């Protein structure tokens, strides 16, 4: 004879098994979720102000570039309309390079 | 033998409710669209949303809600009752067509794969990389309906100098200095199977996918299939727009983007949608499944290896729906219990081109058709 407790235990076991399967099934596929905010530091306010005119921070936080790469990116954005001062430009490039520099091979 | 769909159905885990989802908050200038639980958000706005392999594997036609999204600029608000499509340039009879008029034109119904040119960029692991780090799910297969572009062009009556067709669209960047996205295709492709899609999988074209009308260029990477199209301009030369003249090029070290080969036809490719990476399976046998697609020569053969590429065996390849649709492949294999396993799949196209183990990386990470490998455990 199945008691109520046994039925509840069986149901819970099923739920746990289903959750485990679901997590194992999809968790690895969701590993890449890029930060939606720029990290704190000198240059964050500039990144917030200039980068997020056209796109979310996550487009930047998943990228990796050396100094030349970020310089080219900033030059392109300035050509298209952002207007940082020369000091802001340098500060922004340093900030991006320090957080999103080239990946190690 | 356990099949994934049956297992999930048993547990009541199929459908959108299988996974937890989230509604993202984005600035008011952008579309406040809930993100489907089975889309991986690679960028919140503009929308760079990738379909999970799990969701892709569930159905032959990728549902509109789960179809990957790649937008360059904010999604424009277009009123379908006032929207018009202008056909201009090197034509004897310029046209200005309403949606109602386009619906009255002869319609075609065709199945085409769309794949983002950057699909797989994130898997290159480039030391310097710009753009979204897509993995494998910026691809989908849908039934598209609407008039062929050739129907409109013949009606407009092309001049003899007509060599290229430019597509203009309604989406614009918030900064006025950013060039609009204006690409072109050669007249031969425009007069072939290229279509103006008004419907997707039997429903009106969704807003995120270009409503009220988008171009679909079969067998070409997705950047050619302009969304929210408003103008079709016939010219003697290719587009001189930034996104065409400099963007979407196979650039290798030391090369000038302007002279590098353009990204056009899709390269032959395949994915394993089951087993998924890291799953545990009951012993006895494994059901392998996935899709394969490619350029205009179609997919000729798909092969599977379970010994790290030492030997390959052909899989069952479902009949071709159309040359530009993807094809289901599957194979059931008995496997020993209590071991970790891996599987690799490779497709070969009608020209004999085979997926490489590791595709040569170009600077922008386009067209990564490297062989897909998954590892899993058999209990």
């Amino acid at each position: 004879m199945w008691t109520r407790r046994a039925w509840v235990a069986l149901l819970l076991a099923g739920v746990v098994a289903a959750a485990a399967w679901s997590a194992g099934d999809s968790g690895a596929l969701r590993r890449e979720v890029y930060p939606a905010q720029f990290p704190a530091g000198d240059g964050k306010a500039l990144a917030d102000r200039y980068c997020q005119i056209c796109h979310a921070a996550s487009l930047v936080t998943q990228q990796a570039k050396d100094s030349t790469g970020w310089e080219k990116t900033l030059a392109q954005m300035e050509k298209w309309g952002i207007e940082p001062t020369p000091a802001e430009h340098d500060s922004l490039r340093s900030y991006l390079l320090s957080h999103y520099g080239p990946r190690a091979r | 033998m356990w099949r994934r769909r049956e297992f999930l159905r048993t547990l009541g885990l199929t459908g959108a409710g299988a996974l937890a989802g989230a509604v993202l908050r984005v600035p008011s200038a952008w579309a406040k669209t809930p993100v489907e639980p089975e889309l991986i958000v690679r960028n919140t706005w503009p929308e760079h949303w990738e379909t999970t392999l799990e969701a892709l594997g569930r159905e032959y036609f990728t549902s509109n809600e789960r179809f990957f999204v790649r937008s360059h600029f904010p999604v424009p608000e277009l009123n379908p009752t006032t929207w018009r499509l202008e056909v201009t340039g090197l034509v004897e009879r310029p046209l200005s067509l309403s949606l109602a008029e386009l619906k009255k034109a002869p319609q075609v119904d065709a199945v085409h794969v769309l794949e983002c040119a950057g699909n797989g960029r994130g898997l290159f692991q480039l030391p310097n990389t710009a753009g979204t780090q897509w993995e494998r799910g910026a691809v989908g297969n849908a039934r598209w309906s609407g008039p062929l572009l050739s129907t409109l062009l013949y009606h407009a009556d092309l001049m003899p100098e007509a060599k290229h067709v430019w597509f203009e669209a309604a989406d614009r960047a918030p900064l006025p200095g950013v060039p609009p996205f204006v690409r072109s295709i050669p007249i031969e492709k425009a007069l072939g199977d290229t279509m103006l899609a008004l419907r997707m999988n039997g429903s009106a074209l969704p807003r995120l996918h270009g409503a009220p009308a988008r171009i679909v260029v079969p067998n070409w990477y997705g950047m050619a299939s302009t969304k929210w199209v408003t103008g079709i301009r016939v010219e003697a030369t290719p587009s001189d727009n930034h996104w065409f003249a400099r963007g979407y090029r196979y650039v290798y070290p030391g090369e000038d983007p302007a002279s590098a080969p353009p990204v056009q036809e899709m390269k032959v490719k395949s994915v394993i949608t089951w087993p998924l990476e890291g799953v545990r399976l009951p012993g006895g046998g494994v059901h392998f499944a996935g899709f394969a697609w490619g350029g205009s020569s179609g997919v000729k053969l798909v092969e599977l290896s379970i010994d790290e590429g030492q030997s390959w065996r052909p899989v069952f390849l479902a009949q071709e729906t159309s040359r530009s649709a993807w094809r289901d492949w599957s194979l059931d294999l008995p496997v020993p219990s209590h071991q970790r396993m891996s599987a690799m799949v490779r497709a070969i196209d009608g020209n004999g081109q085979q997926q490489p183990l590791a595709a040569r990386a170009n600077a922008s990470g386009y067209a990564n058709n490297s062989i897909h490998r998954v590892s899993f455990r058999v209990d």
Side-chain angles (χ1 to χ4, degrees):
Chain A
M1 177 76 72
W2 282 81
T3 64
R4 187 177 169 199
R5 186 172 294 177
W7 276 110
V8 169
L10 182 66
L11 181 64
L12 282 174
V15 168
V16 169
W21 176 278
S22 179
D25 208 13
S26 62
L29 293 167
R30 290 169 175 269
R31 66 190 158 81
E32 293 231 24
V33 178
Y34 315 106
Q37 306 285 330
F38 287 112
D42 288 345
K44 172 178 164 48
L46 296 171
D48 285 342
R49 189 193 319 163
Y50 292 118
C51 302
Q52 298 190 88
I53 295 172
C54 284
H55 54 76
S58 52
L59 191 59
V60 177
T61 61
Q62 62 186 293
Q63 297 194 24
K65 294 177 190 172
D66 58 20
S67 181
T68 307
W70 284 118
E71 182 61 40
K72 280 172 70 174
T73 299
L74 287 177
Q76 181 73 81
M77 300 308 156
E78 286 164 5
K79 183 180 164 193
W80 286 347
I82 66 166
E83 296 179 322
T85 64
E88 286 178 331
H89 173 108
D90 291 346
S91 177
L92 188 50
R93 185 191 54 210
S94 298
Y95 173 79
L96 293 169
L97 183 63
S98 67
H99 291 284
Y100 312 110
R103 288 180 185 139
R105 276 270 187 200
Chain B
M1 196 167 303
W2 281 95
R3 289 169 193 254
R4 185 181 168 286
R5 288 171 201 175
E6 290 162 9
F7 188 89
L8 291 180
R9 197 178 301 124
T10 309
L11 294 174
L13 284 175
T14 53
L19 301 166
V23 177
L24 296 169
R25 293 187 185 282
V26 297
S28 58
W30 297 81
K32 290 190 175 176
T33 309
V35 178
E36 277 290 309
E38 290 169 311
L39 291 171
I40 301 165
V41 178
R42 301 243 174 246
N43 191 50
T44 46
W45 50 276
E47 300 81 2
H48 298 183
W49 301 343
E50 174 174 342
T51 316
T52 62
L53 281 180
E54 177 191 32
L56 281 182
R58 191 171 301 133
E59 46 202 1
Y60 177 75
F61 291 105
T62 314
S63 73
N64 295 359
E65 295 73 24
R66 298 187 187 101
F67 208 96
F68 82 96
V69 182
R70 169 50 163 123
S71 301
H72 293 91
F73 308 132
V75 176
E77 293 277 359
L78 298 177
N79 182 339
T81 59
T82 57
W83 171 90
R84 298 190 79 81
L85 180 70
E86 310 290 338
V87 183
T88 59
L90 298 172
V91 294
E92 301 289 354
R93 197 167 39 240
L95 307 174
S96 177
L97 301 163
S98 68
L99 186 58
E101 288 167 327
L102 286 165
K103 285 178 179 172
K104 288 178 190 159
Q107 309 282 300
V108 295
D109 207 33
V111 183
H112 300 307
V113 166
L114 277 188
E115 182 184 13
C116 178
N119 193 28
R121 178 184 292 125
L123 302 167
F124 272 135
Q125 289 293 307
L126 297 166
N128 281 279
T129 181
T132 296
Q133 304 299 296
W134 304 102
E135 293 197 353
R136 301 191 189 277
V139 63
N141 187 59
R143 183 180 295 282
W144 307 91
S145 314
L148 281 173
L149 188 57
S150 60
T151 303
L152 309 181
L153 294 175
Y154 283 127
H155 192 63
D157 197 2
L158 295 171
M159 291 180 180
E161 315 86 83
K163 296 287 184 240
H164 298 268
V165 178
W166 299 30
F167 301 122
E168 296 167 327
D171 52 332
R172 291 286 181 278
L175 278 174
V178 179
F181 199 81
V182 182
R183 293 188 56 86
S184 65
I185 60 172
I187 195 75
E188 296 78 17
K189 187 65 180 172
L191 293 175
D193 51 4
T194 299
M195 62 186 297
L196 182 76
L198 308 177
R199 298 177 71 76
M200 181 179 180
N201 288 324
S203 303
L205 194 65
R207 189 164 158 259
L208 282 172
H209 294 289
R214 76 175 297 169
I215 299 295
V216 174
V217 184
N219 297 120
W220 282 38
Y221 284 108
M223 76 283 141
S225 296
T226 303
K227 299 196 280 189
W228 311 291
V229 64
T230 55
I232 292 169
R233 212 163 86 217
V234 183
E235 298 284 357
T237 56
S239 170
D240 58 0
N241 177 270
H242 169 86
W243 307 107
F244 188 87
R246 298 192 70 79
Y248 295 95
R249 302 263 165 177
Y250 293 112
V251 183
Y252 296 97
E255 289 184 356
D256 175 14
S259 57
V263 175
Q264 293 184 334
E265 269 213 3
M266 292 188 291
K267 294 184 178 177
V268 66
K269 191 165 177 176
S270 56
V271 290
I272 301 169
T273 57
W274 188 254
L276 293 169
E277 179 68 32
V279 296
R280 291 180 69 153
L281 301 173
V286 175
H287 174 72
F288 297 90
F291 299 110
W293 65 95
S296 54
S297 67
V299 174
K300 185 175 73 178
L301 179 68
V302 177
E303 297 175 319
L304 185 88
S305 173
I306 54 170
D307 57 10
E308 300 292 353
Q310 292 179 55
S311 64
W312 295 85
R313 63 190 85 198
V315 302
F316 171 74
L317 192 56
Q319 201 165 5
E320 192 171 76
T321 308
S322 78
R323 186 52 59 91
S324 54
W326 67 20
R327 294 175 74 175
D328 264 314
W329 67 261
S330 63
L331 186 67
D332 291 325
L333 283 181
V335 295
S337 297
H338 311 299
Q339 64 167 330
R340 292 185 185 280
M341 288 192 67
S342 67
M344 295 160 73
V345 67
R346 69 182 182 191
I348 296 106
D349 71 14
N351 293 328
Q353 291 293 314
Q354 179 180 292
Q355 277 185 260
L357 189 60
R360 184 186 175 203
N362 53 88
S364 296
Y366 291 130
N368 186 355
N369 68 335
S370 305
I371 285 173
H372 186 192
R373 176 187 183 276
V374 296
S375 56
F376 52 95
R377 182 181 172 83
V378 180
D379 288 336

